[in-house]
């Protein structure tokens, strides 16, 4: 028996920010980052918030939010006596707010405070998941957290908030969406419902990510990518992810490469590994995972007369999409030195094996497998 639950209420499309005007007499703790403040996006929020509410703005969020920032946020949350949390920003702001809510509940006996997530990038799907990632800057490690206490009660997906996202961030976050969808599709916990969500997300990414990258003012493409991110988020919140994210959490921290970009670099190599794809393999060696990757190729309209060619064409299509988005295709392209790769490979592999996302990968990896993937990524 499987239980399917989608608990977050989603407000989608142009004008969805108007939902904020319905709140009255609240003490709103706003979690965001300095860029959102500087860009004036908070104005779009506050012009809709009724005068009966009081707000406290916590804007110290940085990428890969460290434990210290989360701790400070928990203290401010308690001092302000907030009864509503609104996170507006990219995955880091939403993840930080989630962690603050969790720790406030567990460590300070705070009641379960309602939480609204408003993403300003189309990538993490964090607005509909019970996942959060925070960092230990001293140890250079990212810690994934999982708890239903962190699940937002509401998500507001207004494409007006992502019009000004730079093209390279649009590319990075969009490839994160694709990785979420593909990993959810082949997860050991995948089911018919999550497959449907993931398939739709993949099709939206391949159709609309290039458009959003080339023209940020294309509100149709922006809205479709917001939808894709949300769909993939709902899917992987039920299925978890896989080795791609397990490695990315650790390699991204070591090499200081943006999360979505690291996922994109890994994706063709992890597909090749999970499918156990070898150029000369026979039909007798096809795995259920290989068949699912070939199904993805068909879903995307790629040629897939057999499983082997479907996998090959899927990998090529992903690399072609990266080229269209002017993304690096290897660790070397990202400026990673061969010596640094050798120095950190063991630690990255060990961290990936311990990462919670790796537990639902369709193929059980060894430390040596992961090191080999990293070496292939260096100059793919």
């Amino acid at each position: 028996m499987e239980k399917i639950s989608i608990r977050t209420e989603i407000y989608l499309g142009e004008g969805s920010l108007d939902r904020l005007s319905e709140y009255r007499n609240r003490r709103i703790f706003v979690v965001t980052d300095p860029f959102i403040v500087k860009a004036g996006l908070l104005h779009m929020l506050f012009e809709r918030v009724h005068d009966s509410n009081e707000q406290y703005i916590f804007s110290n969020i940085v990428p890969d939010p460290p434990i210290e920032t989360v701790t400070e946020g928990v203290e401010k949350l308690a001092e302000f006596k907030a009864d509503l949390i609104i996170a507006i920003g990219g995955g880091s702001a939403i993840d930080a707010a989630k962690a603050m809510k969790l720790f406030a509940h567990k460590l300070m006996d705070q009641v379960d405070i309602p939480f609204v997530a408003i993403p300003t990038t189309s990538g993490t799907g964090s607005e509909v998941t019970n996942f959060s990632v925070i960092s230990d800057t001293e140890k250079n490690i990212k810690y994934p957290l999982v708890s239903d206490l962190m699940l937002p009660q509401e998500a507001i997906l207004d494409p007006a908030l992502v019009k000004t996202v730079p093209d390279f961030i649009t590319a990075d976050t969009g490839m994160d969406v694709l990785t979420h969808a593909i990993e959810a599709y082949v997860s050991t916990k995948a089911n018919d419902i999550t497959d449907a969500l993931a398939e739709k997300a993949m099709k939206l990414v391949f159709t609309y990510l290039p458009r959003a990258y080339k023209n940020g003012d294309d509100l149709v493409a922006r809205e479709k990518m917001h939808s894709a991110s949300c769909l993939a988020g709902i899917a992987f919140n039920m299925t978890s992810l896989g080795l791609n994210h397990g490695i990315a959490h650790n390699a991204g921290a070591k090499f200081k490469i943006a999360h979505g970009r690291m996922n994109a670099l890994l994706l063709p190599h992890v597909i090749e590994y999970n499918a156990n794809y070898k150029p000369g393999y026979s039909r007798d060696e096809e795995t259920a995972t290989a068949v699912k990757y070939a199904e993805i190729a068909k879903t995307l309209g790629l040629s897939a007369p057999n499983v082997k060619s479907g996998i090959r064409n899927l990998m090529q299509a992903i690399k072609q999409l990266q080229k269209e988005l002017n993304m690096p295709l290897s660790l070397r392209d990202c400026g990673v030195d061969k010596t640094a790769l050798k120095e950190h490979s063991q630690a990255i592999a060990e961290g990936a094996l311990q990462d919670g996302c790796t537990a639902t990968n369709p193929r059980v990896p060894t430390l040596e497998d992961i090191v080999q993937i990293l070496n292939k990524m260096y100059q793919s």
Side-chain angles (χ1 to χ4, degrees):
M1 182 176 69
E2 294 181 80
K3 180 181 178 180
I4 305 296
S5 178
I6 303 173
R7 299 185 217 171
T8 305
E9 293 183 358
I10 301 166
Y11 296 83
L12 178 67
E14 287 188 69
S16 54
L17 267 177
D18 291 345
R19 160 62 179 156
L20 296 172
S21 65
E22 299 176 33
Y23 289 108
R24 296 288 189 278
N25 302 305
R26 297 291 194 121
R27 297 183 64 79
I28 305 173
F29 188 79
V30 180
V31 181
T32 190
D33 61 64
F35 173 79
I36 298 296
V37 176
K38 186 177 179 181
L41 293 181
L42 281 186
H43 175 70
M44 296 177 69
L45 187 153
F46 289 127
E47 69 181 2
R48 291 168 170 82
V49 172
H50 192 265
D51 291 341
S52 65
N53 299 292
E54 292 188 45
Q55 299 91 36
Y56 182 97
I57 301 171
F58 186 88
S59 60
N60 298 351
I61 305 302
V62 296
D64 303 320
I67 296 169
E68 295 81 6
T69 301
V70 172
T71 302
E72 182 188 356
V74 171
E75 292 170 354
K76 298 297 184 185
L77 183 70
E79 288 173 14
F80 181 63
K81 295 183 172 57
D83 59 16
L84 176 65
I85 299 171
I86 294 180
I88 178 169
S92 294
I94 297 173
D95 277 7
K98 285 179 172 180
M100 290 173 197
K101 181 183 176 183
L102 177 66
F103 294 143
H105 182 85
K106 288 187 173 292
L107 304 178
M108 305 181 75
D109 296 322
Q110 291 260 349
V111 294
D112 192 17
I113 305 170
F115 176 28
V116 179
I118 307 175
T120 58
T121 60
S122 304
T124 66
S126 190
E127 70 276 4
V128 288
T129 73
N130 60 4
F131 288 78
S132 174
V133 179
I134 60 173
S135 300
D136 184 328
T137 50
E138 287 186 9
K139 296 180 180 177
N140 243 1
I141 295 174
K142 295 183 180 182
Y143 293 109
L145 306 173
V146 184
S147 171
D148 282 346
L149 288 169
M150 298 190 297
L151 193 65
Q153 278 69 45
E154 295 182 10
I156 297 175
L157 308 179
D158 196 318
L161 288 169
V162 291
K163 279 204 310 180
T164 57
V165 174
D167 57 2
F168 69 95
I169 295 179
T170 297
D172 288 346
T173 54
M175 291 303 293
D176 197 18
V177 175
L178 183 62
T179 309
H180 290 157
I182 290 177
E183 289 212 287
Y185 195 75
V186 299
S187 163
T188 56
K189 291 186 178 180
N191 56 58
D192 290 341
I193 306 299
T194 58
D195 280 359
L197 294 166
E199 284 175 358
K200 183 63 175 180
M202 290 181 236
K203 290 169 75 172
L204 289 173
V205 169
F206 270 91
T207 302
Y208 292 101
L209 178 55
R211 279 178 54 175
Y213 174 79
K214 292 169 185 172
N215 178 14
D217 290 326
D218 184 340
L219 276 183
V220 172
R222 290 297 197 183
E223 183 172 331
K224 295 295 187 181
M225 282 305 300
H226 245 7
S227 295
S229 178
C230 187
L231 287 165
I234 295 170
F236 86 75
N237 196 55
M238 298 181 199
T239 64
S240 189
L241 292 161
L243 181 60
N244 212 112
H245 271 76
I247 298 174
H249 288 149
N250 292 273
K254 294 292 185 188
F255 300 134
K256 309 299 182 190
I257 296 173
H259 176 68
R261 182 165 297 197
M262 180 58 75
N263 270 325
L265 292 171
L266 280 160
L267 192 51
H269 301 286
V270 173
I271 289 172
E272 181 180 45
Y273 170 76
N274 281 342
N276 201 19
Y277 172 78
K278 299 183 287 291
Y281 85 166
S282 67
R283 292 191 64 179
D284 292 338
E285 295 175 291
E286 289 172 1
T287 63
T289 304
V291 172
K292 290 204 80 171
Y293 283 132
E295 288 173 359
I296 292 173
K298 292 176 184 177
T299 296
L300 297 174
L302 304 173
S303 175
N306 54 57
V307 170
K308 177 180 172 181
S309 61
I311 295 167
R312 183 178 63 245
N313 290 335
L314 174 60
M315 291 162 57
Q316 285 300 327
I318 291 167
K319 290 177 182 178
Q320 185 57 44
L321 180 58
Q322 288 173 277
K323 290 177 183 177
E324 197 171 348
L325 302 173
N326 295 308
M327 299 182 76
L329 298 177
S330 68
L331 286 174
R332 185 172 61 179
D333 291 345
C334 293
V336 175
D337 183 81
K338 186 83 173 192
T339 305
L341 175 64
K342 189 174 182 180
E343 178 186 345
H344 293 300
S345 286
Q346 187 86 2
I348 291 170
E350 289 172 355
L353 289 176
Q354 295 169 10
D355 192 287
C357 293
T358 303
T360 45
N361 195 66
R363 184 178 176 189
V364 179
T366 65
L367 189 143
E368 291 74 21
D369 290 337
I370 297 171
V371 170
Q372 187 175 17
I373 289 171
L374 290 169
N375 287 332
K376 284 185 177 181
M377 281 174 64
Y378 183 73
Q379 50 184 4
S380 57

